[in-house]
Amino acid sequence: MNDPDVLAPPVIEGVGIVRRDSKTNRTLLSGVSLHVDAGESLGLEGASGSGKSTLLRALALLDPIEGGEVRYLGKVIQKSAVPGFRRNVVYLAQRPSMVVGTVLQNLSLPFTFASAERGLDHAAAVELLGVLDRDESMLDQDAMTLSGGEQQLIALVRAILVDPDVILLDEPTASLDPASTDRFEQLATTWKRADARRSWVWTSHDADQVDRLTSRRVRLADGSVVDG
Ligand SMILES: Nc1ncnc2c1ncn2[C@@H]1O[C@H](COP(=O)(O)OP(=O)(O)OP(=O)(O)O)[C@@H](O)[C@H]1O
């Protein structure tokens, strides 16, 4: 009996990724390979400066790489396929990037690009705000008046509204207070549990958080995988 899932390629995979600082030629990632299966919760660990952000940004195709390749569902992404890739693999930075405007304008941002295939799902946005105990009126709030924690929660709502398969979370709660961290984790977990094929890579210096939220770990040291 053939089970198609047995042979399914990883949802995202880095193979021998090399990244160098173009100014100094210093090697930041020296041939890193890792894979994330559909539905997986992968923890990416390592000391400060070990290369976690650099690796996540490379996997998200946000930075050029000097060697190796990134595969999505087993295929290298050609330039023309990058907009589609960005709908499926979303990188969430430690510091939320909000534009000047309302929360609604910020949530709508991914749907304003020429490559967007649809508009913002307004009802879904309101539902997600509800998970955060906020109502529709938040959509009209000036994003610049939000606290850092609220901005990060809105950044997660925005990522979820894109409806990706994978979210790459780069120390997303490092600057949040415990209450906002709880909300962030709850919203992320609700998103993931709603579809067994959804995956994340979560980096954190909080060992308890990594234990709570991930089932497999990869450790980086000095730009190389040392464990996992
Ligand atoms: N764009 C860049 N150009 C040059 N050097 C960079 C760049 N981005 C990161 N680095 C360097 O690469 C190394 C790895 O940085 P990175 O931010 O990936 O580490 P990290 O493991 O995410 O650290 P932290 O836990 O502190 O966030 C560091 O020495 C950093 O200074």
Side-chain angles (χ1 to χ4, degrees), residues 22-195:
S22 55
K23 287 193 194 111
T24 62
N25 210 31
R26 190 181 139 223
T27 300
L28 307 179
L29 296 173
S30 19
V32 172
S33 296
L34 97 171
H35 71 276
V36 184
D37 288 323
E40 240 198 330
S41 309
L42 182 70
L44 184 59
E45 298 179 311
S48 260
S50 57
K52 302 181 298 296
S53 300
T54 307
L55 177 57
L56 287 191
R57 290 184 57 84
L59 288 174
L61 302 182
L62 291 170
D63 295 331
I65 54 176
E66 279 72 39
E69 56 191 35
V70 175
R71 298 177 193 155
Y72 174 71
L73 295 174
K75 294 197 178 114
V76 175
I77 302 298
Q78 303 303 322
K79 209 172 173 190
S80 61
V82 169
F85 174 82
R86 297 220 187 290
R87 288 191 286 276
N88 291 314
V89 179
V90 170
Y91 170 82
L92 201 79
Q94 180 179 340
R95 286 185 201 83
S97 51
M98 295 281 116
V99 297
V100 173
T102 63
V103 168
L104 179 62
Q105 284 168 320
N106 274 276
L107 294 180
S108 301
L109 208 57
F111 308 99
T112 59
F113 300 132
S115 58
E117 290 177 338
R118 61 180 174 87
L120 172 76
D121 183 338
H122 198 276
V126 173
E127 197 180 322
L128 290 168
L129 291 181
V131 178
L132 300 174
D133 290 329
R134 302 301 295 260
D135 63 26
E136 195 169 1
S137 66
M138 192 183 191
L139 293 175
D140 297 324
Q141 211 173 324
D142 178 349
M144 295 302 137
T145 66
L146 301 178
S147 69
E150 287 172 321
Q151 288 190 357
Q152 188 65 311
L153 289 165
I154 292 301
L156 178 59
V157 168
R158 180 169 60 195
I160 289 174
L161 287 167
V162 172
D163 192 23
D165 302 330
V166 185
I167 306 185
L168 304 172
L169 298 129
D170 193 354
E171 297 182 51
T173 63
S175 314
L176 271 55
D177 65 17
S180 300
T181 297
D182 279 354
R183 291 209 152 134
F184 189 98
E185 288 186 10
Q186 188 199 342
L187 183 57
T189 305
T190 302
W191 167 77
K192 191 164 182 316
R193 286 195 184 140
D195 188 328

